[in-house]
Amino acid sequence: VRLSTEGEPTFKRREPYGVLVNILELQAGAAYVGHIDVPPDNDGVVRRAPLIRRFDGRFFPAFDVQVARTYLESEVPVLEVASYGIAALRLGEHSIPLDEEGRLLVRHRRPGSFPAVPIADILEGRGDPALLRGRVVLIGNTATGIGDSRVTPYGATLPGVEIRASIIESLLQGDALQRPEWMMFVDAAAMALIALVLIVLLPRFGVSG
């Protein structure tokens, strides 16, 4: 990924311990390569996706970025950095806001928002080509209990491929969510208010064992 600043960024950030690469035969036929790491938050819910990973001094874009780049026929994505960390990723005409770790706040679509075509229909020639023409096509497991399943803020367990579709659609449409900087003050005020309420109420009601 090309950087919009000169030289190496000075901020520090966590790096993976290693890289698990693709099967060489598959990689040989791919136009680009991107990482697929989407770790959940501490409560197991996927809210953010790292669009950029840094490893061994180099920046690696996510699979979603490379798919959107290919569809848009865009040049190399531009990573915007600041002294505190990553600020945004420019892809085509869109500037995608990221947090300092290079993570995107995912705009999850509701379950079932994306049309699905059984792979058996395609292999047996029953699929309608019009459903695939001019679209980004992702192949993944959707059966319950098989493959990659993730929990979203909607509370539903979705196949990981649908979360990928939500991320890619945000990159293509430029409608990525952004957390305002003033939200940190709202969070701090809310925590202070909760602490104050507890200080006032606990002595009155006591703690039962």
Side-chain angles (χ1 to χ4, degrees):
V1 175
R2 189 174 62 205
L3 301 180
S4 61
T5 57
E6 295 183 0
E8 180 70 13
T10 57
F11 61 87
K12 296 181 179 180
R13 59 176 312 211
R14 293 170 294 180
E15 293 192 8
Y17 293 106
V19 176
L20 182 63
V21 299
N22 288 334
I23 299 174
L24 295 180
E25 289 78 4
L26 296 178
Q27 182 59 46
Y32 305 111
V33 62
H35 75 78
I36 56 172
D37 187 21
V38 185
D41 288 349
N42 292 334
D43 60 357
V45 179
V46 175
R47 298 184 181 89
R48 300 171 180 82
L51 294 191
I52 298 295
R53 283 294 196 193
R54 185 165 70 176
F55 177 71
D56 196 23
R58 298 175 59 191
F59 287 89
F60 293 86
F63 162 84
D64 320 279
V65 174
Q66 300 289 46
V67 170
R69 169 191 177 186
T70 303
Y71 185 84
L72 295 173
E73 298 181 350
S74 174
E75 297 180 354
V76 178
V78 177
L79 185 62
E80 300 177 3
V81 299
S83 59
Y84 60 84
I86 296 173
L89 181 74
R90 289 207 309 272
L91 182 65
E93 299 178 352
H94 303 308
S95 179
I96 311 299
L98 306 177
D99 67 10
E100 66 276 5
E101 289 288 326
R103 298 176 301 179
L104 170 75
L105 188 59
V106 181
R107 182 186 291 273
H108 288 282
R109 271 63 178 180
R110 293 185 178 277
S113 296
F114 301 100
V117 179
I119 190 68
D121 289 353
I122 296 177
L123 295 177
E124 296 177 9
R126 298 194 303 267
D128 183 1
L131 293 177
L132 307 179
R133 189 177 297 115
R135 298 173 180 263
V136 172
V137 178
L138 303 179
I139 301 175
N141 292 323
T142 58
T144 303
I146 300 179
D148 182 24
S149 296
R150 303 298 184 96
V151 179
T152 71
Y154 282 112
T157 300
L158 290 180
V161 66
E162 287 200 33
I163 297 178
R164 291 286 180 190
S166 292
I167 298 171
I168 293 171
E169 187 166 79
S170 288
L171 295 178
L172 295 178
Q173 296 183 356
D175 65 350
L177 294 176
Q178 185 172 10
R179 190 173 189 269
E181 295 182 1
W182 49 263
M183 278 300 298
M184 67 176 66
F185 300 105
V186 175
D187 293 341
M191 294 176 62
L193 179 60
I194 293 173
L196 180 60
V197 170
L198 292 177
I199 291 173
V200 173
L201 294 182
L202 285 181
R204 293 186 179 185
F205 296 99
V207 179
S208 59

